[in-house]
Amino acid sequence: MEYETVELDDKDDALVIIDQTKLPGKTEIIRLKTAQEMWDAIYLLKVRGAPAIGVAAAFGIYLLAKQIDTSDYSTFLAEFRKQKEYLDSSRPTAVNLSWALKRMEKIVTDNGDKPVEEIKQLLKTEADAVKAEDIRVCKTIGEFGLTLVKPGDGILTHCNAGQLATSKYGTATAPIYLGEERGYHFRVFADETRPLLQGARLTSYELHSSGVDVTLICDNMAATVMKNGWVNAVFVGCDRVARNGDTANKIGTSSVAIAANYYNVPVYICAPTSTIDMNTATGADIHIEERPAEEVTQMWYRERMAPEGVKVYNPAFDVTDHSLIAGIVTEYGIAREPYEESFREIFARKENAEHD
């Protein structure tokens, strides 16, 4: 992984990303300069994964703020909020998108007494901080996750919560990468993750490139490898965690958790605290994005593989019930049932750490 997933070219006023829709066949670096290009990149999954989306949003809104040509604070704030709301509409389920944009907006609202040009520089500093924190958070999640497994274990993961979904290390793959560095020699099973094949195109690509022992399987093979005794733990990421511990992640995650529960394989959700939404009571309150039918019927085929006009249901995410989850791994420790109480303890640790 010689390229940055998301980076800022401040001199050229560009958000620079790997176009993940082209992987693994082609590594294409694209430069985004307009609000439309940034919105499309997030919606079309050119950049994806909750942490990476948050970093892209922070850099993106900074660049858009740089383009606002006014010295009047009220005019600047109104245009900033217009651009913020536009970017926020691209992926409604991913809480890191709105989290990063709100964090950037707070810089603007907290510094209304300063010149607009100074506010723009403060936005740059904050966006850089979002990325630096993402790298630190992922490594710390990896350290906590590593305590849940032992050398030689089999680990199953779904979708891509790896380096391509973050700035570095990933969330669900962070224990795998750290284990590889320390000679744990995990055996990893990566679900292909229909219909967009993030597991096949991205997870198997990055793990294989890094020398990890990874085996790609179809989604409907997960229960079989668990039955065979080849899986000791499931590590997955997520896009939003509700207050009660329900988690929204890529479609198919719930099926993996149900099978794992049956075969007594623990399921661990790797989630930075920015993904925990204490304002969302349960998974039933999480908005689930539906995506175009073409992703199912023809996107990866040379010719259409379903009849014209057939109805298609294509939710991007599903919700895994908290009762199926053995623990939620954050950068401030591992949350367990009852989750609401555990989350409050974790946020207290976070607040104490930030004040130290």
Side-chain angles (χ1 to χ4, degrees), residues 11-24:
K11 291 182 179 178
D12 192 38
D13 294 334
L15 173 61
V16 184
I17 65 169
I18 300 172
D19 184 348
Q20 297 191 35
T21 63
K22 302 292 179 63
L23 293 173

Side-chain angles (χ1 to χ4, degrees), residues 125-145:
T125 300
E126 191 70 6
D128 286 336
V130 169
K131 181 173 181 178
E133 288 170 22
D134 179 42
I135 295 172
R136 174 185 61 79
V137 163
C138 287
K139 186 173 183 183
T140 308
I141 286 173
E143 296 286 2
F144 281 117

Side-chain angles (χ1 to χ4, degrees), residues 142-310:
E143 296 286 2
F144 281 117
L146 209 54
T147 68
L148 300 169
V149 286
K150 62 184 186 300
D153 272 355
I155 296 173
L156 185 139
T157 191
H158 185 79
C159 195
N160 176 259
Q163 181 168 324
L164 288 165
T166 64
S167 300
K168 194 173 183 179
Y169 292 112
T171 53
T173 60
I176 297 168
Y177 282 126
L178 291 180
E180 186 68 18
E181 290 174 4
R182 297 170 191 179
Y184 276 49
H185 303 300
F186 293 128
R187 295 167 292 105
V188 180
F189 294 89
D191 287 347
E192 64 175 351
T193 321
R194 286 279 296 154
L196 294 177
L197 304 178
Q198 293 98 328
R201 296 186 303 106
L202 307 178
T203 300
S204 68
Y205 164 75
E206 65 169 81
L207 291 179
H208 181 69
S209 298
S210 300
V212 173
D213 179 356
V214 59
T215 300
L216 178 65
I217 60 173
C218 297
D219 294 359
N220 56 8
M221 300 172 187
T224 296
V225 296
M226 291 178 194
K227 183 179 181 180
N228 289 348
W230 297 345
V231 178
N232 302 101
V234 172
F235 281 109
V236 294
C238 74
D239 290 80
R240 188 181 294 255
V241 182
R243 189 168 66 237
N244 72 336
D246 293 348
T247 62
N249 191 47
K250 183 55 57 182
I251 192 71
T253 304
S254 180
S255 300
V256 168
I258 291 167
N261 190 257
Y262 182 83
Y263 289 110
N264 297 311
V265 175
V267 175
Y268 299 109
I269 308 294
C270 297
T273 51
S274 60
T275 310
I276 301 170
D277 185 358
M278 296 297 280
N279 295 317
T280 297
T282 74
D285 301 312
I286 299 175
H287 172 75
I288 300 298
E289 171 191 350
E290 290 191 39
R291 297 186 59 82
E294 290 75 17
E295 292 178 349
V296 176
T297 59
Q298 63 194 74
M299 185 171 184
W300 303 110
Y301 305 113
R302 289 185 178 178
E303 56 186 63
R304 185 181 177 91
M305 294 296 288
E308 290 281 357
V310 69

